[in-house]
Amino acid sequence: MVAAVDHHGLAMCMGMKDDTQALNSLAVHEVGNLLGIKLPTKGMARCPFPSHDDDTPSFEIKKQVNRWRCYGCDKHGGAIDLVMAYQGTSFLEAKKWLAAKVGMEGSRWATMPSTPNQQCRTSLIRPRQFIDTAETPPDHTLYGELIARAPLLKSGADYLLGRSLSPEIIARFAIGQMPTTSVIGELIHRFGYGRVEACGLLSKRSTPDSYWPVFPQGALLFPYFEVGMIVYIQARTIIDDEKGSRWRNLNNRRRRLYNSDVLINPTVRRVAICEGAIDVLSATQMGCEAFGLIGISAKLSDAEIILLRGKQVDILLDWDQPGEMRASSLRKELVRFGVAATRKSAPRDGSNDVNDFLRQGNTKI
Ligand SMILES: [Zn+2]
């Protein structure tokens, strides 16, 4: 029989630590997809369990509470329970299977092929950024400590407000700003050089005697949350005549999707794919939850694409030639997994990207 598991509601919120909660917040019908069974998004269906030869539709998903019940065999529960009931496995086995399926295993979004057939395909299409390296898991504590020591300053707030972003959105995404580079020295003092280096916060020429932070003074800091914890930080300089790229990434750390928690939030029915963090904030402010690619050529893993199933997906990459080309290849990558995405056509006002569109005074996208 199915063990009862506490259900903690649908909201994926920042600070949520328990992976049981995270897994149970996956939409039940999407977990059905992962199991290879087609479940109804509304109404009743035949019971999917092998042990129940159901000749009348007895199985229902209660979408509002993300739970399911079969009125024939009286099994019921949430996302993890569905895996247990269908596979006849224990709670821990079911959790492990589901975590691997959605790439939450070991706090990494890994690509986990499910069948030998898919395994072959996966090895061919696995994007370069996933071929790494025995990368150490993200150091949530240290990243959190940096953000805590780097509150947004007036110059950074002015910059973001100047791009028409609202104080609510700026706060929601927990944007910080490097006060001085000596904040990195404080972290070295507290956590040790090796740990700060492993976080990718130091450039290659750094040594324990002389450290060189990758993020310059005054740069905006964009924390990347996964299941509510910081797994990556990206910086953007706000002084446009500074040398080098405006966007700075961690040294030797795998790049990730920005705001990827929208993928595992079952209350998000429509999601946009944007180019970079500022456009994610802009789309969100205009009422469309979004996640961002770092660099237009960034790829989604199979597991990430599977999480898009059942959602309305809009591609809001820049309206320029590289953006159009990437939108077209992205649609093909998604459709292989049954995800139909819509490329939004360029706005008539001539906006080149989502933030431009916001700055034109638009309130919806
Ligand atoms: Zn049943």
Side-chain angles (χ1 to χ4, degrees):
M1 274 294 106
V2 182
V5 176
D6 278 348
H7 182 75
H8 298 278
L10 299 176
M12 286 295 309
C13 51
M14 288 179 183
M16 188 169 67
K17 291 191 171 132
D18 183 6
D19 57 341
T20 299
Q21 246 176 291
L23 293 170
N24 265 332
S25 70
L26 294 166
V28 165
H29 81 267
E30 282 165 21
V31 174
N33 288 338
L34 296 173
L35 287 163
I37 49 181
K38 183 107 187 87
L39 295 177
T41 48
K42 58 180 167 192
M44 307 280 284
R46 289 202 177 151
C47 177
F49 304 129
S51 58
H52 180 193
D53 187 13
D54 191 15
D55 49 14
T56 57
S58 317
F59 187 92
E60 186 185 24
I61 292 179
K62 291 170 183 151
K63 224 171 156 184
Q64 278 74 24
V65 290
N66 199 40
R67 293 182 73 82
W68 56 271
R69 176 178 285 272
C70 174
Y71 297 98
C73 61
D74 206 36
K75 288 184 173 137
H76 57 93
I80 298 172
D81 300 315
L82 184 71
V83 177
M84 290 169 68
Y86 186 72
Q87 298 185 330
T89 49
S90 72
F91 177 65
L92 281 179
E93 285 169 324
K95 259 182 74 171
K96 202 173 161 195
W97 183 88
L98 195 52
K101 273 287 177 191
V102 298
M104 275 169 43
E105 210 175 36
S107 69
R108 295 191 46 185
W109 289 75
T111 303
M112 297 301 293
S114 57
T115 63
N117 183 29
Q118 199 178 353
Q119 201 159 9
C120 294
R121 265 191 312 144
T122 305
S123 62
L124 291 175
I125 58 170
R126 186 180 285 197
R128 179 165 297 129
Q129 75 206 76
F130 288 93
I131 301 178
D132 56 21
T133 90
E135 183 180 272
T136 54
D139 194 332
H140 313 299
T141 309
L142 202 149
Y143 291 137
E145 192 63 34
L146 172 56
I147 293 298
R149 287 165 188 255
L152 193 60
L153 305 169
K154 186 171 184 302
S155 59
D158 286 348
Y159 175 84
L160 293 167
L161 295 170
R163 294 191 72 163
S164 299
L165 294 162
S166 71
E168 293 74 27
I169 286 291
I170 295 167
R172 173 177 156 184
F173 285 87
I175 313 298
Q177 192 172 4
M178 283 289 279
T180 67
T181 52
S182 67
V183 72
I184 300 298
E186 294 166 25
L187 294 177
I188 291 172
H189 184 72
R190 167 136 180 229
F191 296 100
Y193 178 86
R195 212 168 138 184
V196 175
E197 184 189 35
C199 278
L201 288 164
L202 303 176
S203 62
K204 274 192 195 108
R205 58 179 162 160
S206 295
T207 65
D209 300 320
S210 157
Y211 67 89
W212 297 86
V214 290
F215 299 153
Q217 177 172 345
L220 293 170
L221 300 180
F222 293 79
Y224 282 54
F225 291 91
E226 279 177 16
V227 197
M229 291 197 282
I230 304 177
V231 296
Y232 191 90
I233 298 175
Q234 193 184 26
R236 190 197 190 283
T237 62
I238 54 174
I239 305 160
D240 283 343
D241 58 2
E242 244 171 88
K243 281 183 205 152
S245 164
R246 288 177 204 163
W247 287 97
R248 307 287 168 89
N249 283 287
L250 295 173
N251 183 22
N252 212 19
R253 298 292 304 181
R254 178 171 68 83
R255 299 188 185 188
R256 290 156 185 272
L257 299 178
Y258 182 65
N259 198 34
S260 68
D261 274 355
V262 294
L263 292 170
I264 54 171
N265 185 338
T267 66
V268 173
R269 306 309 309 160
R270 177 190 175 211
V271 65
I273 305 177
C274 293
E275 211 172 307
I278 297 274
D279 280 358
V280 169
L281 270 65
S282 306
T284 308
Q285 185 169 320
M286 289 185 282
C288 183
E289 298 286 334
F291 65 93
L293 307 178
I294 307 190
I296 197 168
S297 59
K299 300 248 180 178
L300 276 69
S301 71
D302 296 357
E304 287 160 344
I305 296 174
I306 286 165
L307 288 168
L308 287 170
R309 283 184 182 158
K311 297 189 195 291
Q312 181 193 332
V313 182
D314 288 330
I315 301 178
L316 296 181
L317 302 179
D318 290 0
W319 290 288
D320 53 19
Q321 204 198 2
E324 296 302 344
M325 285 173 67
R326 182 66 186 113
S328 154
S329 63
L330 194 53
R331 287 188 65 203
K332 285 178 197 151
E333 288 161 28
L334 299 183
V335 89
R336 275 202 336 249
F337 290 87
V339 176
T342 308
R343 169 58 171 160
K344 282 272 187 182
S345 50
R348 292 193 179 164
D349 60 19
S351 298
N352 183 59
D353 63 29
V354 182
N355 183 246
D356 264 359
F357 189 65
L358 174 68
R359 291 161 83 180
Q360 303 283 339
N362 293 293
T363 54
K364 271 193 180 151
I365 194 161

